[in-house]
Amino acid sequence: MQHPLIVGNWKMNGTLGESSLLARKVRRGLKGLTRAEVVLAPPFTALIKVREAIRGSRIQLAGQNLHWESRGAFTGEVSADMLKDVGCRLVIVGHSERRHLFHESDETIAKKVVASLNAGLKPILCVGETLAERQSGRTNEVIERQLGVALKGFEKSVIRKIEFAYEPVWAIGTGHNATPDQASEVHAWIRDLLEKQFGTEEALACRILYGGSVKAENAGELMKAVGVNGLLVGGASLKAEEFLQIIRRSLS
Ligand code: PGA
């Protein structure tokens, strides 16, 4: 079984000074925790600083978003090659804030997944339902559509190059995390869908992270939930000690 993957998504937070300090604190606190795979996703402006702060450690760097073209007249955008160049190994794709606040469609997200894979970046592909979708019993259908479009036409071998994240929109930044049972249920559905498309062996080898109001106090129980292989942490990853606690609890 793979090690748990813990991703800190800093979103639009952090000056250069703050980012560098936070990364150094996480690095220091991780000494001895060899079983954790930790990824930091700072804003674009801080990527270089964070890269310097984590150089030589096992922490990996991720972008929070990318454009699907590799270069050109796309004001305000950043390509997969640029993220690679600055030291990223992964990139978050399809985060619900991108889907909902910036109106990214399933098709846009699919193009971003392809672009990151082509550049040798591992996409962290996020899927999740809104509260209204859950309340109307459409969770499975929404996840199936989001995954189906993003993975359309992929070869079996590609699937191990992707990390998956279930992030219910109603749980992100609200303080209301999914219960371990709710997470397990949707993770099982995601794995079923992967199995249908790519076969049992591939589906079992995939990591599916949970994200949405993860804190030190709920990290342990969420990680114990069946089918949860890691955590995508937003707000709580901005506090070094809390993030480190989350990592420690995911390992216990
Ligand atoms: P949150 O965000 O932990 O602040 O709820 C999670 C995410 O958006 O990835």
Side-chain angles (χ1 to χ4, degrees):
M1 193 61 206
Q2 305 190 62
H3 290 164
L5 177 67
I6 315 295
V7 181
N9 173 13
W10 295 359
K11 309 194 181 185
M12 198 172 70
N13 293 291
T15 60
L16 293 183
E18 287 163 350
S19 301
S20 178
L21 185 65
L22 179 54
R24 278 187 278 123
K25 282 188 181 164
V26 172
R27 176 184 187 155
R28 218 172 306 131
L30 276 179
K31 290 223 169 84
L33 296 178
T34 49
R35 278 198 305 120
E37 228 180 286
V38 175
V39 172
L40 297 180
F44 292 143
T45 48
L47 282 167
I48 287 234
K49 274 282 177 202
V50 173
R51 182 178 80 171
E52 282 164 14
I54 62 177
R55 180 171 290 145
S57 75
R58 289 176 312 109
I59 303 173
Q60 301 180 69
L61 198 59
Q64 296 178 12
N65 181 31
L66 78 161
H67 192 270
W68 59 87
E69 293 289 348
S70 56
R71 58 176 62 234
F74 301 99
T75 302
E77 296 293 327
V78 167
S79 73
D81 289 339
M82 290 167 176
L83 291 175
K84 264 301 276 298
D85 190 40
V86 81
C88 291
R89 302 247 200 95
L90 305 95
V91 59
I92 299 172
V93 180
H95 189 279
S96 80
E97 284 148 19
R98 300 297 322 169
R99 290 179 190 265
H100 297 284
L101 301 177
F102 301 98
H103 313 293
E104 287 190 11
S105 66
D106 292 325
E107 288 72 22
T108 305
I109 289 156
K111 288 202 256 182
K112 293 184 177 201
V113 172
V114 171
S116 36
L117 289 168
N118 285 344
L121 278 180
K122 215 172 205 209
I124 303 168
L125 173 60
C126 305
V127 294
E129 81 289 2
T130 62
L131 186 58
E133 288 162 344
R134 171 164 283 265
Q135 285 172 340
S136 57
R138 293 171 50 222
T139 300
N140 285 4
E141 175 198 322
V142 169
I143 306 272
E144 184 167 12
R145 192 202 69 230
Q146 292 174 337
L147 268 188
V149 178
L151 303 178
K152 195 165 167 207
F154 281 174
E155 303 267 323
K156 191 164 149 170
S157 58
V158 173
I159 218 65
R160 293 195 195 207
K161 298 184 182 142
I162 301 177
E163 305 286 355
F164 296 89
Y166 168 52
E167 294 212 307
V169 181
W170 47 271
I172 297 179
T174 59
H176 302 295
N177 59 287
T179 63
D181 284 350
Q182 285 171 323
S184 280
E185 225 174 273
V186 180
H187 282 227
W189 175 239
I190 294 173
R191 223 177 284 280
D192 276 356
L193 293 166
L194 294 175
E195 183 171 5
K196 250 186 251 160
Q197 191 174 348
F198 302 103
T200 309
E201 197 189 331
E202 299 302 319
L204 288 177
C206 286
R207 265 191 300 214
I208 308 174
L209 319 184
Y210 166 79
S213 295
V214 174
K215 306 183 253 327
E217 105 202 17
N218 59 23
E221 57 170 15
L222 283 163
M223 274 303 295
K224 281 195 192 86
V226 176
V228 175
N229 312 116
L231 301 169
L232 179 44
V233 188
S237 70
L238 294 169
K239 293 170 252 161
E241 196 35 55
E242 173 138 29
F243 188 55
L244 287 163
Q245 254 326 352
I246 289 172
I247 296 166
R248 285 185 212 109
R249 294 197 178 157
S250 353
L251 298 175
S252 58

